[in-house]
Amino acid sequence: MGLVEAVATEEAKAPEISRARASLRASLMALFKVRVVFLLLFAAVGGACIASGGWPGLGTLTLLLVTGGLAAGGASAINQYLERELDARMERTRRRPLAAQSFPRTRWVLYVGAAMILVPALAVLPFNPALTVFLLLGAVIYLYVYTVWLKPRTPLNIVVGGAAGSVAVLCGSAATGQWNETGAVVLALLVFLWTPTHFWSLAIAYREDYARGGFPMLPVQTSPRAAALWVLLHTCAAAFAAWALATHPALGWLYLLPVGLATAALLVLSLRLVAKPSRERALALFHASNLFLGVVLLMVCANTLVS
C-alpha cells in the first residue's frame, strides 16, 4: 500500500475511533453515575461548609472530593453490577452499560468498584478515622442495606436507603473534624427526609416500569394517590428541616428567602400531585426536588462562605 493510500485509510478510521472513544466515555460516566456523584459531593461540600462555619480549606475540600468521589463512584458501579439483570427489564434503566452489555466482561466492575471504596477509606484512617467510618458506612448502606436487602423486599426501601445520601453530608463534616456539628446533622436529616419525595415521585411516573422490574416500590404496592400522600408527608418534613436550618448562626435570612421560595414551590407541586397523581405532575415534582436540594446546598455554601 502506498503512502497516499495509507493516509487515506487512517483518515477514514479516525471518525470511527472518535465515536468509539466517545461511546466508551459515555458508558464509563453512566457506570460510575457521574451526575449522581456530583450531587453527593455537593451535599458533602455543604456539610463541610456548615460544620466549619465558613471556608473549610483547600486541603480539606480536596481530600473530601477525592475520597468521596471515588467511594461514591465505586458504590454506583457495584450497584449497577448487582442490578444489571433487573435493569435490563426496565425501560428507564435498560440502556445502562451493564444492562445493555456494553462491556464484553463485567466482573472487573466488582474489583474496581471495591478498590475505589476501600483504598481512599483506608488511606485516611490514620489521620481521620471518622471520615473512614462514613465513607464505608455510605457504601454499606447503599450496597447492602438498600440494594441487596431492602430494595427487593419492602416498599419502604428508599426510606432507609436515603441514609446513604445523608452520610455524604456527614463525610463533609467529618473531613473538617466536626462530624457531629448541629447544622451538619440537620442538613443530613434534610437529605434523609427529602429522598423519598425525590424517588417516589419518579416511581409514580414510572410505576409500570418498576413493576416490570420486580421492585416493590411504594407506588407499585399502593395506589398513585396514596403514594402521593406519602410523598407530601416527606415533602413537609423536608421543608421543616430546611426552615430549621435558618436558625444556624452561619445562615439566617439570606438563606431563608431563596430556600423558602424553593420550599413553597415544592409543597405546591406535592399538593398538585395529590390532587391529580399523573405522570406529568410526578415528573415535575421529581425535577423540582432536584432544584430544591440544589438551592438548599448552594445557599448553605454561599452563606457560610460570606458569613
Side-chain angles (χ1 to χ4, degrees), residues 109-246:
V109 173
L110 283 177
Y111 303 124
V112 171
M116 290 172 68
I117 297 167
L118 293 174
V119 170
L122 295 177
V124 301
L125 179 60
F127 60 91
N128 196 330
L131 180 55
T132 296
V133 168
F134 287 118
L135 288 171
L136 294 177
L137 182 61
V140 169
I141 292 174
Y142 183 51
L143 293 176
Y144 177 71
V145 176
Y146 173 62
T147 302
V148 175
W149 181 27
L150 296 178
K151 193 173 181 180
R153 291 177 173 84
T154 171
L156 299 179
N157 47 43
I158 200 61
V159 176
V160 179
S166 301
V167 170
V169 176
L170 298 179
C171 281
S173 56
T176 69
Q178 304 178 74
W179 72 267
N180 58 347
E181 194 273 337
T182 302
V185 172
V186 175
L187 182 58
L189 176 63
L190 186 156
V191 174
F192 178 78
L193 296 170
W194 163 90
T195 303
T197 292
H198 179 69
F199 280 100
W200 281 343
S201 57
L202 181 68
I204 290 173
Y206 288 93
R207 188 168 182 261
E208 294 181 0
D209 212 14
Y210 275 104
R212 191 182 304 113
F215 295 117
M217 299 290 283
L218 179 70
V220 175
Q221 300 296 307
T222 187
S223 68
R225 177 160 281 109
L229 285 169
W230 279 103
V231 168
L232 176 62
L233 176 64
H234 281 271
T235 301
C236 292
F240 181 79
W243 292 331
L245 267 178

